[in-house]
Amino acid sequence: MGATVTTANNEEKTWSGGNEPMGASYGKLMMWFFIVSDALTFSGFLAAYGFSRFKFIETWPLAEEVFTHFPFMHGVSAPMYYVALMTFILIFSSVTMVLAVDAGHHLNKSKVAFYMFLTIIGGLIFVGSQAWEWKNFIQGEYGAIETKGGSLLQFVDKTGKHIKLEDFAVTLHEERTQLTRDKGRWFMEESALPSFSVAEVQAGFKAHPDVLIRTEVIYEDDAVSKADPKIDHTLNKIRHKTILTRAESELRLANASLVVEGANLKRNEYGSKLFADFFFFITGFHGFHVFSGVIINIIIFFNVLIGTYEKRRSYEMVEKVGLYWHFVDLVWVFVFTVFYLV
């Protein structure tokens, strides 16, 4: 049987389904196959995150305490504001992509180029914002203590406000050596020396009687008074970390092992180590998709400028890359939901 060669302008059939099985061109059909397979991959990652969070629900970090930074607003707590802005920018880039595809249907080269350019800018802003968020997450803000049992201790003032180690730790001018595997405990090492040693944190804690310790354990409390019977209190819960008494704090701090600053694949000053592992892996994997989409969009954008699709009298390539871009945006909605909102 001889091979059949087809073009966009003839009616020859490649197989019994014709040139457009299921009403889609071969290129768009293959893009849909890729999207479905990639969606299954993300689904597996998010399902693993969900199971892990459910297992360690009592010690899972509170997103509103982790993602509180906003550019050019150092020291101002803005929980989730910048993440919401990032999400809006990415979703808006989907709108500009829709407009680019629509302009392509009307063979309007200038509008396609303009909206593609806006889409690229939106994607670059999102990737840059994600990198900035990673930097703050890795760097940390408050610092914490990890005990010999592996639990995490954070510090608060008498009002329950989270405070930094530098607010109370003292300087002992002691000689400090970076912990490496060849100098101490098996499978324990430090990537870099923290700002303070365990002894400096312990000494500072003793010198500040108003400082207390809070643990990773979360409990829920009513956000409103229970006096009003008209209010459904099951929908008005606020999650808090457990704050210990001064005596309990001293006992827990006596078992201190390491000073933890920021988050990485081994330790996390905000809570469960698994949270950091999943955060870096899933948001990094999604960020790679966005960055890849930006590169593809740039290639298509230059093809639009030089008139490649104008000569073909078809902007189907813009539509195919648009499908990928919408998929990336949709995935972020789920990532945003499970990491930041739930």
Side-chain angles (χ1 to χ4, degrees):
M1 180 181 292
T4 303
V5 179
T6 65
T7 67
N9 298 319
N10 62 38
E11 298 297 330
E12 297 181 49
K13 296 182 178 181
T14 54
W15 64 80
S16 59
N19 286 337
E20 295 190 354
M22 292 185 288
S25 67
Y26 179 81
K28 283 196 286 187
L29 193 61
M30 293 303 103
M31 178 59 76
W32 275 112
F33 283 162
F34 168 76
I35 287 174
V36 171
S37 64
D38 214 24
L40 293 174
T41 303
F42 273 105
S43 298
F45 294 157
L46 294 176
Y49 171 87
F51 283 121
S52 298
R53 176 172 179 171
F54 179 77
K55 182 176 182 180
F56 301 102
I57 189 67
E58 291 184 349
T59 60
W60 209 251
L62 301 176
E64 58 269 23
E65 293 184 356
V66 179
F67 308 104
T68 61
H69 302 88
F70 203 94
F72 311 112
M73 295 175 60
H74 182 70
V76 177
S77 180
M80 314 298 288
Y81 289 7
Y82 194 57
V83 179
L85 178 60
M86 288 168 50
T87 303
F88 172 78
I89 291 173
L90 191 63
I91 292 176
F92 186 75
S93 71
S94 253
V95 176
T96 57
M97 179 59 81
V98 168
L99 295 174
V101 171
D102 181 68
H105 289 161
H106 293 87
L107 300 178
N108 191 326
K109 174 183 172 181
S110 60
K111 283 190 175 182
V112 173
F114 174 71
Y115 290 123
M116 285 289 293
F117 178 76
L118 292 181
T119 303
I120 292 168
I121 295 300
L124 288 174
I125 292 175
F126 180 84
V127 172
S129 298
Q130 201 168 47
W132 182 84
E133 187 181 50
W134 268 42
K135 185 265 294 181
N136 285 287
F137 187 57
I138 293 171
Q139 180 179 325
E141 184 176 5
Y142 297 99
I145 288 290
E146 185 177 305
T147 67
K148 295 175 183 178
S151 60
L152 199 73
L153 306 178
Q154 300 170 333
F155 298 90
V156 297
D157 60 19
K158 60 182 179 180
T159 65
K161 180 182 178 183
H162 199 177
I163 59 176
K164 302 178 182 179
L165 296 182
E166 63 186 40
D167 293 337
F168 66 91
V170 299
T171 303
L172 298 179
H173 301 291
E174 59 185 351
E175 183 178 351
R176 300 169 62 194
T177 304
Q178 184 175 348
L179 177 62
T180 56
R181 293 188 183 182
D182 61 339
K183 294 178 181 177
R185 304 160 193 168
W186 191 38
F187 288 131
M188 289 189 68
E189 61 181 354
E190 295 172 304
S191 56
L193 286 175
S195 303
F196 303 97
S197 67
V198 171
E200 289 173 331
V201 174
Q202 290 173 329
F205 183 80
K206 291 180 180 178
H208 293 79
D210 291 337
V211 176
L212 299 174
I213 284 178
R214 73 175 189 179
T215 66
E216 300 171 275
V217 180
I218 299 173
Y219 71 93
E220 292 185 342
D221 194 9
D222 285 331
V224 295
S225 172
K226 295 182 179 180
D228 190 348
K230 299 178 181 179
I231 298 178
D232 182 3
H233 296 278
T234 61
L235 302 177
N236 294 278
K237 296 291 185 180
I238 292 182
R239 295 178 296 173
H240 305 275
K241 296 289 185 69
T242 302
I243 299 177
L244 305 178
T245 65
R246 181 69 184 185
E248 292 173 329
S249 299
E250 291 174 351
L251 290 175
R252 294 294 295 272
L253 191 58
N255 292 320
S257 174
L258 292 170
V259 174
V260 181
E261 292 180 320
N264 51 49
L265 296 178
K266 293 182 179 180
R267 296 180 180 87
N268 176 16
E269 74 166 49
Y270 298 101
S272 174
K273 304 176 182 68
L274 273 177
F275 177 83
D277 296 341
F278 277 112
F279 178 80
F280 287 127
F281 186 77
I282 295 179
T283 62
F285 191 57
H286 177 266
F288 171 76
H289 278 69
V290 177
F291 181 74
S292 301
V294 170
I295 298 300
I296 296 171
N297 280 338
I298 290 175
I299 295 172
I300 302 302
F301 172 71
F302 280 109
N303 280 334
V304 171
L305 291 182
I306 64 178
T308 300
Y309 310 121
E310 189 75 15
K311 295 173 185 176
R312 296 179 186 175
R313 305 296 295 169
S314 172
Y315 283 86
E316 184 180 298
M317 211 45 213
V318 176
E319 189 172 355
K320 285 187 284 189
V321 76
L323 289 174
Y324 175 78
W325 193 254
H326 297 322
F327 165 72
V328 168
D329 288 3
L330 181 61
V331 167
W332 176 251
V333 172
F334 288 97
V335 175
F336 174 76
T337 301
V338 300
F339 271 104
Y340 303 98
L341 296 183
V342 178

